[in-house]
Amino acid sequence: MKNKVVTFSLTLVVGIIFGLGLIISQMTNPAKVINFLTVGEKWDASLIFVMAVAMGIMMIVWRWTSKRSAPLLANSFTLSDFKLVDLRLILGSVLFGLGWGLSGICPGPGLVQLVTLKPDFIIFFAAVLAGMWLTNLLNGRNKKEPN
Amino acid sequence: MLTEFTPISASVGGALIGIASAILLMVFGKVAGISGAVQSLLNPLQKGAGWKLVFVAGLLIAGVIVQLVQPELLVGELDLPLWLIVVAGLLVGVGTSLANGCTSGHGVCGMSRFSARSWVATITFMVIAFVTANAMYWLG
């Protein structure tokens, strides 16, 4: 019971820290993302710093995990051991790239922007969920994929 | 619309994203993948969905906190006609679902783990997003 409370609270705090990171870095601002992706006079390199710092921290952490058999508060690491680079991965990434390049919004910022209650962001997020639902529906007819 | 070059806030935000992902991995052994967490909203009773829903709640609470304390930090508009907002949202939903990940899971967590899948996914969506954004700007 105590463990469940700790897990719940810490996961919630992790979500809050992540969300604050998305907002402070301005990943939540579509113009910032679009300008990062656009060559020319409006190019804004800021997002390189977001990615580099976050990845740098995670590189160190992966080294730490590789020396351990279990994380601090769970019995094992829940990681994908799925290694196949297939058409599904590439097609999915192409479609995601199209949507991200058009809107400047990926799933995390799309979620955070919901709190502003702006209709555009609510419609966008509803469409994201609809896309996921549709994919799961079609996928359910074929086979189950690992997460 | 022009935006200012903000390397410091970008680094601070990146550090928070990295720290959050680090805690999740070190403490619970889990990867901070937001598209996967968002998917759990469609199947909230499924086994393993619990922590994802809590993580999603945390992201929303972060938004609410900033809205209350410093609303000028959470700005931005979707500069698209309504039909393209719907198309872009559908593409993000279908794409991340097929690829099993987005900027967080494949980008931040997977690339730093040197996962081949994540490198292929991230390079692909970055290149396509780059081409799309430039096409919209230069041809649109």
Side-chain angles (χ1 to χ4, degrees):
Chain A
M1 182 61 208
K2 192 176 157 227
N3 216 343
K4 276 198 170 159
V5 175
V6 172
T7 302
F8 176 87
S9 328
L10 194 53
T11 307
L12 196 65
V13 170
V14 164
I16 295 172
I17 297 173
F18 203 117
L20 292 176
L22 290 173
I23 297 167
I24 291 169
S25 66
Q26 295 189 58
M27 287 288 295
T28 46
N29 183 357
K32 202 80 180 158
V33 177
I34 296 289
N35 290 357
F36 168 66
L37 293 169
T38 312
V39 290
E41 74 279 8
K42 69 170 192 168
W43 190 57
D44 178 349
S46 307
L47 296 196
I48 292 176
F49 290 79
V50 185
M51 202 66 179
V53 174
M55 267 184 67
I57 291 171
M58 283 306 287
M59 265 184 217
I60 299 167
V61 174
W62 282 117
R63 282 179 70 98
W64 180 85
T65 60
S66 69
K67 297 189 190 101
R68 294 180 62 100
S69 56
L72 298 171
L73 279 186
N75 296 327
S76 61
F77 289 98
T78 319
L79 303 174
S80 164
D81 49 7
F82 196 46
K83 294 216 161 48
L84 190 67
V85 174
D86 56 3
L87 191 64
R88 181 192 157 98
L89 177 79
I90 293 169
L91 176 66
S93 300
V94 167
L95 298 179
F96 169 45
L98 276 168
W100 192 39
L102 276 170
S103 62
I105 286 286
C106 52
L111 184 66
V112 173
Q113 276 285 10
L114 286 178
V115 307
T116 63
L117 301 177
K118 288 178 188 158
D120 282 1
F121 284 112
I122 295 172
I123 292 164
F124 179 85
F125 195 76
V128 172
L129 283 177
M132 288 175 168
W133 178 78
L134 203 69
T135 314
N136 291 345
L137 193 74
L138 297 173
N139 195 37
R141 292 194 195 146
N142 300 314
K143 58 179 176 156
K144 286 269 173 268
E145 286 284 339
N147 200 352
Chain B
M1 188 177 55
L2 287 171
T3 50
E4 213 182 317
F5 178 54
T6 49
I8 295 175
S9 58
S11 302
V12 172
L16 292 175
I17 292 169
I19 288 166
S21 309
I23 298 173
L24 207 57
L25 181 62
M26 293 170 76
V27 178
F28 302 115
K30 294 193 159 82
V31 166
I34 297 186
S35 59
V38 167
Q39 291 240 23
S40 69
L41 293 170
L42 297 172
N43 254 325
L45 299 176
Q46 200 177 39
K47 200 175 172 292
W51 78 270
K52 295 179 181 174
L53 295 169
V54 178
F55 183 58
V56 164
L59 287 161
L60 290 170
I61 291 171
V64 171
I65 291 170
V66 172
Q67 255 325 58
L68 294 174
V69 180
Q70 201 88 358
E72 64 273 19
L73 276 180
L74 185 51
V75 293
E77 311 283 340
L78 285 166
D79 188 18
L80 291 174
L82 187 62
W83 72 273
L84 264 182
I85 291 177
V86 174
V87 169
L90 284 171
L91 286 167
V92 169
V94 173
T96 56
S97 183
L98 279 178
N100 291 314
C102 59
T103 339
S104 52
H106 279 312
V108 173
C109 296
M111 295 238 293
S112 59
R113 192 190 175 197
F114 296 102
S115 146
R117 267 175 68 80
S118 292
W119 274 82
V120 170
T122 307
I123 290 170
T124 306
F125 69 65
M126 290 291 300
V127 168
I128 299 291
F130 174 81
V131 172
T132 308
N134 280 289
M136 292 289 286
Y137 181 66
W138 295 104
L139 311 174

